[in-house]
Amino acid sequence: MVMTSGMLRFHVPEPEVRPGGTPDFSNVPIPKAGSVPRPDIDVDPRTIRDMAFSIIRVLNRTGEAVGPWAGLLTDEELLEGLRHMMTLRSFDARMQMAQRQGKTSFYMQHLGEEAVSCAFRKALAPGDMNFPTYRQAGLLIADGYPMVTMMNQIYSNEADPLKGRQLPIMYSSKEHGFFSISGNLATQYIQAVGWAMASAISNDSKIAAAWIGDGSTAESDFHSALVFASTYKAPVILNVVNNQWAISTFQGIARGGSGTFAARGLGFGIPALRVDGNDYLAVHAVAKWAAERARQNLGPTLIEYVTYRAGAHSSSDDPSAYRPKTESDAWPLGDPVMRLKNHLIQRGVWSDERHAQAEAEILETVIAAQKEAEGHGTLHAGGKPSTREMFEGVFAEMPPHLRRQRQQAGV
Amino acid sequence: MPRRTMIEAIRDAIDVSMARDERVIVYGEDVGFFGGVFRCTAGLQAKYGKSRCFDAPINESGIVGSAIGMAAYGLKPCVEIQFADYMYPAYDQLTQEAARLRYRSNGDFTCPIVVRMPTGGGIFGGQTHSQSPEALFTHVSGLKTVVPSNPHDAKGLLIAAIEDPDPVIFLEPKRLYNGPFDGHHDRPVTPWSKHELGEVADGHYTVPLGKAAIRRAGSAVTVLAYGTMVYVAQAAVEETGIDAEIIDLRTLLPLDLDAIVASVKKTGRCVVVHEATLTSGFGAELSALVQENCFYHLEAPVARVTGWDTPYPHAQEWDYFPGPARVGRALLETMGA
C-alpha cells in the first residue's frame, strides 16, 4: 500500500517540451506501415479494441504502399489526390498572405493536415454530407468546389455566396456536401449524427461525416454525438483530427491521462480506428472502410487521425510563444504532400521535375483565381455585399420589426 | 365541437401534423413508448412507429443538436424538452445554431424545427420546474417564440409552428394543461371541458404565428399578457370592475405590435403581466415598445406585474406568482385610483 502524506496535490498536464527546448516525440509510438490488420466491416467492435491504440499506416519509410489497407487507389486517383493537397497548400499560402496584406480580416491554414480532408472526401459518395470544422477545406477542394467562390467568401466581397455575413473560411455548400461552418466548436458533431439519423429514418442510402479537433472533443456535444450515434446506430463517421494542438493547449489537456482519442469510442461500443493522418492512402482506406460500414447499416465508426498542426492556429496566433519552432520538423509522421509525392515517384508515375512543374502550375491557377476574386472586391476595397443583405435571411420571411429596422438603417 | 384539454390538443396537433407530413419526427425524453411525462405524445409511437416517434437519451443539447441535423437533411423534427427549466444545456444549439443556420448559410441550409417545452409555475414546481425563460429566446435573432393559453390556440399554433420554415420555441404553460387557472389556488380548478376555448376542432387548422387575440374588449386600460397570466388578468379585471382590454399575445416573436399599439392608443394606459422575473424580462421590451409607439397617448406610466427577481421558490409559491390581487392593484394604480 502506498502511503501519502495526506496532502493532496493538483495535477495539470504539460507538454514534453516548451519554446527553447528540443522537440521530442519519442512518447508517440509509431507502428510499422502495414502492421495493423484490416477487419471485415461487420466486425464485432469488441474484438478490435486494440485498433484504438495503434496507428493504421500504408506508406512506409521508402514510400511503398504496404499491408492490408493498401491497393485501393489507381495511379490517376493518387495523382489527383496529390494535386488536391498541393492546391490546398498553395491556396492556404496565398490566403495567409492576403490576410497579411489586409485584404481580409482572418485566415486559418491546413499546413500538414492536407491529407485528412482531401483523402477523406474521395471515400464519400455524392449526396453524403460532411459537418466540417474550419480546418477541412480540402473537402471542398477535392470535390471541385470553385476556389474563386472560396476566396469570395474569404474577402466578403460582392460575389460572396454568404453575402458578407460570415467570418472568412466559414464556408457553406449543400451542393458539395459541406455543411455550414459555425464558430461554436463541436456543435456540428451532434448535428451530423442527427443528419445521419434522418437518412436512416428516411430509408435513404446517404451517410454523414462528423468532424472535430482534438481540443474540441472536450466539449459536451462530443459526448452527445457519441451517445446518439451509439444509441441509434446512426450511419455516421465520427472523425477526430488530432493535430496535437488546440491553439496553445497541447492535446493532453483535452485527452487527460486516457489512452487515445479513438479510445473514447470504445465505451460507447463504437468501433474506433486510429490512422496516420499524414498518409493519404491510409486516410482514404480507413474512411472507405467506415463509409462502407455506415452504408451497410452497421452503424457509426470513430476515426482518430494522428497528425500535426504545422502552421499557426490562425492568422491571429503565434505558436512560437508556446511550442518549439522546429517541432513540426520533428513530427515522426512527416509531411503528407512529400510522402505521397515520394510514393508516386516510387511507383514510377511522378518525378521531382514534374512535381516542381505542377507546383508552378497550381500556383498560377491559384493566383488567377485570386485575381478574379479580387475583381469582386476585398474586405476593405471594391465591391461589397449590400447592407440590405444584413437584414435578409434571419427568417424565411422578414417579420415587421426587421422591416422597420431595415428602414431605420436607410436601406 | 369536441372539447379537449391542452394536453389532448397538443397531442392532436402533433398527430394531425404527423399524418399530413411524413417528414414530421417526434422525440424527446420519455416521449416514445411512455407517451411523455405530461402525456402530450401518448399513442403516437404505436400509431406512427418508432422511426417517427421515439425516446431520446437524457441530453438536451443532443436532442436539439440532432434535430438541427435532421432539419438540414430535410425532415421537420418536433422535439420536446421535458421542462423549460432544462433547456439550458441546449441553449448553445438553439441560439448559435438553430437560430443562425439560415442566416449564416444564406439559405443554403434551414432549420424548420419546433422545440416544445412545458413552462411556467403555479404548480409547486420549485426552482427547476417553474421557470419562464421566454426572454432568453426573444432576445435571439432567428428564433420565433410562441406561448399558447388555451387548447384551441395550442393546437392551431403548434400546427402552424410545425409548418413554419424557421425554428420555433413552443412554450406550453403546464399550469394550463388540464384547465384554465386564474391564480386563485384556493378554489377548485375547472376543467377545459367547461371552457369555450376547450373546443378544439378535429383535423387540420392553424392559428397564425405573430397574431395576438383580444380576450376581453375594453376601453380603460390595455393588459398585455400571455399563457397563464391571461386568466389571472381576467380575474383581476372582474374583481376590480375596471373596463380593461386584455390582449393575449400568443406569439412573442414575431410580435403583433399593431394590435398592441391600436389598443393602447384607444385606452391610453397599459399594464404588462408575466410570470417571468422582472429585470430584462419580456415585459421590458413590451413596455419600451408601448412607450415608443404610444407616448403621446399614454395617460399613466406603463406598469409591469411580474415574478420577483428571485429564483422560483417552493414554499412561497403564492407570494411569488403574480396573482389576481397584485394584478388588480396595478390596474387600480394605473387608473389613478
Side-chain angles (χ1 to χ4, degrees):
Chain A
M1 189 174 141
V2 178
M3 301 296 287
T4 62
S5 68
M7 187 168 68
L8 298 169
R9 285 176 302 278
F10 182 55
H11 174 69
V12 180
E14 270 294 322
E16 300 281 328
V17 193
R18 285 296 191 185
T22 308
D24 178 13
F25 287 107
S26 57
N27 64 332
V28 183
I30 308 291
K32 275 179 69 168
S35 65
V36 178
R38 185 177 195 277
D40 292 333
I41 55 163
D42 59 353
V43 65
D44 180 344
R46 288 171 300 185
T47 65
I48 57 162
R49 294 173 68 90
D50 56 337
M51 294 187 80
F53 302 94
S54 190
I55 301 179
I56 297 164
R57 306 180 62 228
V58 171
L59 295 176
N60 68 15
R61 281 169 181 276
T62 55
E64 288 170 310
V66 295
W69 295 88
L72 292 183
L73 294 164
T74 63
D75 289 344
E76 289 68 35
E77 287 168 329
L78 288 171
L79 287 165
E80 192 195 25
L82 180 65
R83 180 165 285 268
H84 291 151
M85 289 200 288
M86 291 169 74
T87 303
L88 178 56
R89 186 166 291 186
S90 184
F91 180 90
D92 271 349
R94 294 297 300 183
M95 290 297 100
Q96 175 81 4
M97 199 194 304
Q99 190 277 334
R100 293 289 186 247
Q101 292 166 338
K103 292 173 180 172
T104 185
S105 62
F106 181 74
Y107 193 69
M108 296 179 106
Q109 298 193 84
H110 303 74
L111 195 63
E113 300 177 40
E114 292 89 348
V116 176
S117 52
C118 290
F120 185 90
R121 177 70 245 189
K122 289 305 185 185
L124 294 185
D128 294 342
M129 184 63 71
N130 282 287
F131 286 74
T133 75
Y134 46 67
R135 223 186 293 278
Q136 276 89 43
L139 296 170
L140 288 172
I141 301 266
D143 200 52
Y145 188 76
M147 259 189 295
V148 177
T149 313
M150 294 168 77
M151 290 168 173
N152 289 335
Q153 196 281 324
I154 290 166
Y155 288 142
S156 288
N157 62 23
E158 66 189 12
D160 173 6
L162 307 183
K163 306 294 178 190
R165 295 175 193 152
Q166 268 280 45
L167 198 67
I169 71 160
M170 306 281 186
Y171 315 107
S172 173
S173 175
K174 192 175 196 171
E175 194 193 337
H176 288 266
F178 192 96
F179 185 73
S180 158
I181 294 179
S182 166
N184 290 51
L185 298 177
T187 50
Q188 80 290 345
Y189 219 58
I190 174 67
Q191 293 164 4
V193 176
W195 196 99
M197 288 164 67
S199 185
I201 286 168
S202 308
N203 303 126
D204 203 343
S205 60
K206 301 185 192 109
I207 64 168
W211 293 89
I212 204 164
D214 45 282
S216 301
T217 60
E219 289 280 6
S220 49
D221 278 339
F222 177 69
H223 171 80
S224 303
L226 265 57
V227 173
F228 277 66
S230 170
T231 298
Y232 302 111
K233 296 199 186 316
V236 62
I237 307 174
L238 300 160
N239 297 308
V240 178
V241 183
N242 176 8
N243 67 13
Q244 316 300 322
W245 290 96
I247 309 186
S248 72
T249 312
F250 93 113
Q251 47 91 20
I253 293 287
R255 184 181 51 83
S258 71
T260 63
F261 291 104
R264 296 274 199 256
L266 300 180
F268 296 87
I270 298 173
L273 311 183
R274 259 177 124 225
V275 58
D276 178 346
N278 292 9
D279 180 338
Y280 187 94
L281 287 82
V283 169
H284 174 266
V286 168
K288 197 92 186 157
W289 187 89
E292 210 179 315
R293 246 185 71 77
R295 228 179 288 283
Q296 293 300 321
N297 214 39
L298 294 164
T301 304
L302 191 144
I303 305 173
E304 175 183 347
Y305 303 86
V306 183
T307 183
Y308 184 84
R309 196 197 76 211
H313 165 70
S314 73
S315 56
S316 310
D317 174 50
D318 172 17
S320 70
Y322 51 80
R323 68 183 193 191
K325 275 184 177 161
T326 53
E327 195 176 80
S328 68
D329 300 333
W331 176 243
L333 295 175
D335 173 77
V337 174
M338 294 312 288
R339 285 175 66 194
L340 183 54
K341 174 195 164 192
N342 291 340
H343 173 60
L344 288 164
I345 292 173
Q346 191 268 337
R347 266 168 107 120
V349 297
W350 201 238
S351 65
D352 283 318
E353 296 71 39
R354 287 173 74 178
H355 192 83
Q357 194 185 339
E359 234 165 21
E361 280 168 18
I362 287 166
L363 179 61
E364 215 170 293
T365 316
V366 175
I367 288 172
Q370 194 179 0
K371 276 195 180 133
E372 187 183 336
E374 288 177 10
H376 294 294
T378 60
L379 181 60
H380 300 297
K384 56 181 281 193
S386 145
T387 307
R388 281 178 74 86
E389 285 294 349
M390 185 168 73
F391 294 95
E392 296 287 343
V394 181
F395 297 96
E397 204 179 310
M398 192 177 291
H401 70 286
L402 277 177
R403 281 205 300 274
R404 283 193 297 273
Q405 289 171 30
R406 189 179 65 183
Q407 209 171 5
Q408 282 169 8
V411 292
Chain B
M1 203 181 284
R3 297 214 170 181
R4 292 179 163 96
T5 66
M6 194 187 277
I7 290 167
E8 290 163 344
I10 287 164
R11 190 207 154 279
D12 193 37
I14 301 171
D15 190 359
V16 165
S17 301
M18 291 180 87
R20 277 169 67 91
D21 187 345
E22 63 176 18
R23 296 172 301 166
V24 177
I25 306 297
V26 175
Y27 62 102
E29 295 156 20
D30 304 293
V31 160
F33 182 83
F34 180 55
V37 294
F38 291 109
R39 317 308 301 148
C40 288
T41 55
L44 296 175
Q45 185 176 82
K47 187 168 176 184
Y48 295 100
K50 286 199 289 185
S51 287
R52 304 232 3 238
C53 177
F54 54 89
D55 291 313
I58 302 173
N59 185 321
E60 289 75 18
S61 180
I63 290 167
V64 174
S66 60
I68 294 167
M70 282 191 198
Y73 175 89
L75 300 185
K76 293 180 79 70
C78 175
V79 299
E80 178 181 302
I81 302 293
Q82 203 159 77
F83 288 86
D85 315 59
Y86 300 133
M87 68 83 187
Y88 301 97
Y91 198 58
D92 189 30
Q93 289 286 348
L94 287 169
T95 62
Q96 310 305 303
E97 300 291 322
R100 306 277 160 81
L101 189 53
R102 177 188 295 278
Y103 189 75
R104 77 172 197 235
S105 72
N106 191 27
D108 200 18
F109 297 93
T110 61
C111 191
I113 68 172
V114 175
V115 185
R116 295 180 38 245
M117 317 179 185
T119 189
I123 57 151
F124 281 98
Q127 295 185 24
T128 56
H129 300 80
S130 307
Q131 294 173 28
S132 297
E134 60 271 16
L136 296 175
F137 299 117
T138 55
H139 190 57
V140 179
S141 46
L143 294 179
K144 293 180 178 175
T145 302
V146 177
V147 192
S149 69
N150 60 72
H152 169 269
D153 282 2
K155 178 174 172 181
L157 288 166
L158 182 52
I159 293 176
I162 291 169
E163 292 174 357
D164 195 273
D166 291 308
V168 181
I169 306 296
F170 197 84
L171 293 162
E172 301 166 1
K174 55 190 161 311
R175 178 70 239 205
L176 303 180
Y177 268 159
N178 290 301
F181 178 68
D182 62 8
H184 284 296
H185 51 91
D186 46 348
R187 298 177 194 167
V189 173
T190 48
W192 280 115
S193 59
K194 302 237 167 68
H195 196 284
E196 58 174 6
L197 289 170
E199 285 190 352
V200 176
D202 288 329
H204 180 271
Y205 71 89
T206 59
V207 171
L209 305 187
K211 289 282 170 223
I214 295 175
R215 295 295 172 209
R216 182 192 189 281
S219 60
V221 53
T222 300
V223 180
L224 302 180
Y226 49 92
T228 309
M229 287 301 126
V230 170
Y231 304 97
V232 173
Q234 282 175 342
V237 165
E238 279 164 31
E239 287 155 25
T240 55
I242 293 169
D243 184 26
E245 181 146 294
I246 300 173
I247 299 185
D248 177 356
L249 298 175
R250 301 201 286 198
T251 304
L252 306 190
L253 198 141
L255 183 69
D256 191 349
L257 185 62
D258 292 345
I260 295 170
V261 171
S263 178
V264 177
K265 281 188 174 172
K266 181 177 71 176
T267 62
R269 298 169 202 272
C270 182
V271 175
V272 177
V273 192
H274 61 58
E275 283 183 68
T277 49
L278 176 72
T279 302
S280 304
F282 190 63
E285 181 64 28
L286 292 171
S287 175
L289 284 168
V290 167
Q291 184 269 132
E292 284 165 13
N293 289 279
C294 311
F295 185 75
Y296 295 106
H297 293 77
L298 282 175
E299 292 166 39
V302 177
R304 287 182 286 164
V305 187
T306 71
W308 307 115
D309 281 344
T310 70
Y312 204 110
H314 185 245
Q316 302 90 339
E317 175 92 61
W318 305 118
D319 301 314
Y320 179 92
F321 186 91
R326 274 179 62 202
V327 176
R329 274 200 301 278
L331 286 171
L332 290 167
E333 279 166 23
T334 301
M335 294 310 298

